[in-house]
Amino acid sequence: MCGRYATTRSAADLSAIFESADETGGVTPDYNVAPTDPVPLVRLAPEGHRLLSLGRWGLLPQWSRSASGAARMINARAETVATSRAYAPSFARRRCLVPADGWYEWVRLADGGRQPYFMTPRDGSVLAFAGIWSVWESAGTARLTFSVLTTAAAGELAEVHDRMPLLLSPERWAGWLGPAEEPAELLTPPDAGLLAGLEIRPVSRAVGDVRNDGPELIAAVAPAGGETAAGPTLF
């Protein structure tokens, strides 16, 4: 999974969708989320209710000596998250939902260029990425950080990239946040129905610059001409 996605719903909307209390103080729409950006996530409070919080994308384990490695920790592989020294403690006790409108991937073209695509629900509903979180403290300051779990891409998504976020349908949200399920059940890939509802949308190359933001980044465009590096143009 490449390191960009979009999350544009308000804190009020997300709190209603995920039935969570809002501790963010408000969130800003972001059509071009990049590593270390602050974005909303949903986690369980110690009392057991859901909280909408702001976390920085790129998990910092509690034992990290500095924040310099956060950008390399944006994704955790589902195949190894339960055994990884960096991720396993969070997977066992600190799982979260990461709301998103969709995510971006780039397909390399035969001419050396790259065509970005935006994977998003056709019906405009919210996506929930499976995530894990940790609180990292330094010099008396606590920072909430998180990673998104990835799994092998399935169906048409595999034509764009070999990895994808672990997507959770609404009926799996409670199980992911709660302590009850076994790791194998938690890490089950998304079902075919959820994947069938996704649009693979060619979008502007402007998304490649992290300084660009706005709804124009997720608008459909005509895909770049020519062939992909692996064969004919995909879509």
Side-chain angles (χ1 to χ4, degrees):
M1 175 187 170
C2 290
R4 303 287 179 79
Y5 71 95
T7 180
T8 68
R9 286 172 169 83
S10 69
D13 287 345
L14 292 174
S15 295
I17 292 169
F18 290 96
E19 300 179 338
S20 57
D22 178 21
E23 66 171 8
T24 66
V27 298
T28 302
D30 195 339
Y31 292 85
N32 200 0
V33 177
T36 74
D37 283 352
V39 283
L41 58 84
V42 178
R43 58 183 178 141
L44 286 187
E47 299 79 12
H49 62 274
R50 295 180 186 179
L51 282 177
L52 181 70
S53 307
L54 276 180
R56 290 189 177 272
W57 190 19
L59 186 137
L60 290 169
Q62 294 174 341
W63 44 259
S64 294
R65 294 184 178 180
S66 76
S68 61
R72 299 190 299 272
M73 302 284 284
I74 58 172
N75 296 151
R77 294 176 68 91
E79 296 87 345
T80 57
V81 68
T83 56
S84 165
R85 175 173 176 253
Y87 298 125
S90 289
F91 175 68
R93 299 185 298 275
R94 297 184 294 272
R95 295 185 295 274
C96 62
L97 304 171
V98 182
D101 297 0
W103 76 98
Y104 300 98
E105 297 290 0
W106 280 258
V107 172
R108 186 167 297 280
L109 304 175
D111 65 4
R114 297 197 305 164
Q115 172 62 56
Y117 289 86
F118 185 58
M119 275 57 68
T120 187
R122 290 189 180 89
D123 63 4
S125 59
V126 71
L127 290 175
F129 299 159
I132 53 176
W133 63 272
S134 182
V135 173
W136 182 76
E137 296 188 19
S138 177
T141 300
R143 179 185 299 184
L144 177 62
T145 67
F146 73 97
S147 291
V148 171
L149 269 69
T150 68
T151 189
E156 292 184 344
L157 295 174
E159 299 181 50
V160 180
H161 198 278
D162 62 349
R163 305 291 294 178
M164 59 177 282
L166 179 57
L167 304 175
L168 300 174
S169 54
E171 60 268 20
R172 295 182 62 185
W173 294 352
W176 180 259
L177 293 173
E181 295 193 45
E182 293 296 323
E185 296 173 335
L186 289 171
L187 298 170
T188 302
D191 62 44
L194 192 159
L195 297 181
L198 296 177
E199 174 189 358
I200 303 175
R201 178 190 302 169
V203 294
S204 168
R205 295 187 185 187
V207 72
D209 187 334
V210 296
R211 296 170 295 183
N212 294 329
D213 194 7
E216 66 276 6
L217 297 182
I218 65 171
V221 302
E227 299 186 344
T228 68
T233 301
L234 291 172
F235 305 101

